[in-house]
């Protein structure tokens, strides 16, 4: 098991690509932020409903592993961790995009923290969402077994 703080996500995910290539993980979970949708000017019809205090946001989409999504959602439910789901039709614009194309492909999941005022000097998260994200990731990791099959 490894935890990585990769660089260059905003300019193409180069750190995640090279790190996932060298580590050769069986799976990876990218942790990022997503727009909190309870701020002025955010359209929930486009972004989904991810208010501050609603817990981690589990990504579901074309490049993300459906098995990892299901496992994350089941883990949240089994541990009474509130969560929301964010759909992405194409790329996620996170390190998961780079990870899933590394080598022959690495099954990737995405967990995000709702954030207000992204890319500004006054970014804001709910610490409860951060703690719930940590709890989800810890429970997910401890649920993994040697017989895990992530073949699509």
């Amino acid at each position: 098991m490894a935890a990585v703080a990769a660089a260059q996500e905003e300019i193409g995910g180069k750190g995640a690509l090279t790190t996932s290539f060298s580590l050769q993980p069986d799976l990876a979970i990218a942790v990022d932020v997503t727009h909190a949708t309870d701020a002025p000017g955010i359209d929930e019809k486009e972004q989904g409903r991810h208010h501050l205090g609603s817990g981690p946001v589990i990504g579901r989409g074309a490049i993300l592993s459906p098995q990892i999504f299901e496992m994350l959602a089941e883990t949240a439910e089994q541990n009474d961790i509130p969560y929301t789901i964010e759909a992405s039709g194409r790329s996620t614009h996170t390190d998961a995009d780079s990870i899933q194309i590394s080598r022959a492909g690495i099954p990737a999941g995405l967990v995000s923290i709702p954030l207000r005022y992204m890319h500004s000097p006054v970014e804001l998260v709910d610490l409860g969402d951060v703690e719930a994200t940590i709890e989800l990731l810890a429970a997910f990791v401890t649920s993994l077994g040697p017989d895990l099959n992530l073949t699509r």
Side-chain angles (χ1 to χ4, degrees), residues 87-109:
S88 56
R90 295 184 181 159
S91 66
T92 65
H93 305 287
T94 69
D95 283 337
D97 298 343
S98 296
I99 292 165
Q100 64 92 25
I101 61 167
S102 182
R103 292 197 175 263
I106 296 169

Side-chain angles (χ1 to χ4, degrees), residues 31-57:
V31 179
D32 208 315
V33 293
T34 191
H35 292 282
T37 58
D38 56 349
I42 303 291
D43 184 1
E44 286 185 354
K45 290 179 184 175
E46 287 183 25
Q47 303 280 337
R49 186 175 173 87
H50 316 294
H51 292 191
L52 290 183
S54 63
V57 182

Side-chain angles (χ1 to χ4, degrees), residues 2 4 14-25 99 102-103 106:
V4 175
K14 305 303 186 208
L17 184 62
T18 57
T19 302
S20 59
F21 186 90
S22 65
L23 289 178
Q24 302 180 49
I99 292 165
S102 182
R103 292 197 175 263
I106 296 169

Side-chain angles (χ1 to χ4, degrees), residues 56-95:
V57 182
I58 302 173
R60 181 168 205 152
I63 66 106
L64 299 171
S65 166
Q67 294 97 329
I68 292 176
F69 168 81
E70 292 296 336
M71 292 170 62
L72 285 165
E74 288 172 14
T75 300
E77 290 170 14
Q78 290 169 354
N79 291 278
D80 295 320
I81 301 169
Y83 70 96
T84 61
I85 299 169
E86 182 172 47
S88 56
R90 295 184 181 159
S91 66
T92 65
H93 305 287
T94 69
D95 283 337

